[in-house]
Amino acid sequence: MSSRKPLVAGNWKMHLTAAQGVSLVQNIDDFCRELKADVEVVVAPPFTAIHSASTVIDIDRMQLGLAAQNMHWEAEGAFTGEISPTMLTAARVGYVILGHSERREHFFETDEVINKKVKSAISHGISPILCCGESLDIRESGETLAFIEGQIRAGLEDVSAARATGIVIAYEPIWAIGTGKTATPKMAEEVCEHIRNILGDIFGTTIKANTRILYGGSVKAENAALFFAEKNIDGALVGGAALTAGAFNPIIAAAKT
């Protein structure tokens, strides 16, 4: 692990009610207070649970961060069913997951749409967690690095270095999400190092050195430390293992430096 502060983010996806989310947040916070580790921990509830999670985090003065799983790029408008960045900032949301493979695959989000969301998030003071990742076909054809580079460059198009300081990148190979399959630490490190070099080419050495890059894809307590030991992996974006404190807390502990 580098000098960059480790970040462990839990993506709850379409799971947990508001009450269940509050209970989980309280359990995670209790663990973090006992652990006393210099690890940033972020939870990403569904929209219906964000306000409750935000309230308990505020009232109990928790150090946990709050993320949204998606957002529209417009501040307001006739977009039925969508959530705006201004709504998120009002709920004290500091991060937003953008470009997740499930959004790309199931909801047909393009690189152009994701780029609009990235720029909007930054302009509203929300740090994007920009996701990238390849399918099994791309991995097996040897085109992973070129594909990832295309996603990163498209997602960050027209973002200046001055506005890129809070961006987080999450590498999630599609073939390892929810499948039980996991990239080896060496495979993940190769892609994350490539991402860091791309950031350097786009933004320069400071952003290259300071941007946190997460690994996601069936991360669990048994393998988290192996990924965190890699030079260019600064934490994890966790899916299924983020839904219970018993599974999530050991991943936080594994990130302790």
Side-chain angles (χ1 to χ4, degrees):
M1 188 75 71
S2 73
S3 60
R4 294 175 294 273
K5 186 173 184 176
L7 170 61
V8 177
N11 178 13
W12 299 357
K13 305 189 179 183
M14 199 174 71
H15 297 282
L16 305 184
T17 64
Q20 291 170 331
V22 166
S23 177
L24 177 55
V25 164
Q26 289 171 330
N27 286 335
I28 294 170
D29 180 65
D30 288 344
F31 178 81
C32 289
R33 289 176 190 266
E34 292 183 10
L35 187 66
K36 296 179 181 178
D38 191 23
V39 178
E40 183 175 4
V41 179
V42 173
V43 293
F47 288 130
T48 53
I50 281 181
H51 180 73
S52 297
S54 176
T55 299
V56 73
I57 288 171
D58 183 53
I59 290 175
D60 291 350
R61 298 180 181 179
M62 298 179 182
Q63 295 301 306
L64 303 183
L66 191 61
Q69 298 178 21
N70 186 34
M71 57 163 249
H72 198 279
W73 61 86
E74 295 287 355
E76 61 181 9
F79 304 103
T80 300
E82 292 293 327
I83 302 293
S84 76
T86 54
M87 295 172 184
L88 296 182
T89 55
R92 297 182 289 273
V93 169
Y95 292 91
V96 60
I97 300 170
L98 298 174
H100 193 282
S101 62
E102 292 161 2
R103 297 297 310 177
R104 295 176 189 261
E105 179 182 359
H106 301 309
F107 302 99
F108 313 109
E109 291 192 5
T110 64
D111 285 329
E112 181 182 11
V113 165
I114 293 161
N115 178 243
K116 287 182 179 180
K117 293 182 178 186
V118 167
K119 291 184 289 188
S120 177
I122 293 170
S123 69
H124 286 88
I126 304 172
S127 296
I129 300 176
L130 175 61
C131 298
C132 60
E134 81 283 11
S135 67
L136 186 60
D137 287 345
I138 292 172
R139 162 64 62 174
E140 291 180 342
S141 68
E143 299 174 357
T144 293
L145 298 184
F147 181 80
I148 296 298
E149 181 164 359
Q151 285 187 319
I152 295 296
R153 290 188 180 276
L156 298 176
E157 187 175 356
D158 296 326
V159 175
S160 67
R163 305 190 75 189
T165 54
I167 292 172
V168 176
I169 306 294
Y171 168 55
E172 293 194 308
I174 297 171
W175 50 270
I177 299 176
T179 63
K181 297 180 179 180
T182 309
T184 65
K186 182 179 179 181
M187 291 163 65
E189 168 65 13
E190 178 189 26
V191 177
C192 290
E193 181 181 23
H194 183 60
I195 291 169
R196 194 169 302 286
N197 289 334
I198 296 165
L199 294 174
D201 186 56
I202 298 172
F203 299 119
T205 56
T206 299
I207 298 298
K208 174 183 177 180
N210 295 332
T211 298
R212 289 178 292 183
I213 301 174
L214 312 181
Y215 172 72
S218 298
V219 176
K220 49 192 175 182
E222 293 79 6
N223 61 25
L226 298 175
F227 290 101
F228 298 160
E230 296 292 339
K231 180 180 178 181
N232 288 288
I233 298 176
D234 305 307
L237 179 58
V238 184
L243 299 179
T244 65
F248 191 58
N249 288 344
I251 297 174
I252 299 171
K256 182 177 179 179
T257 55

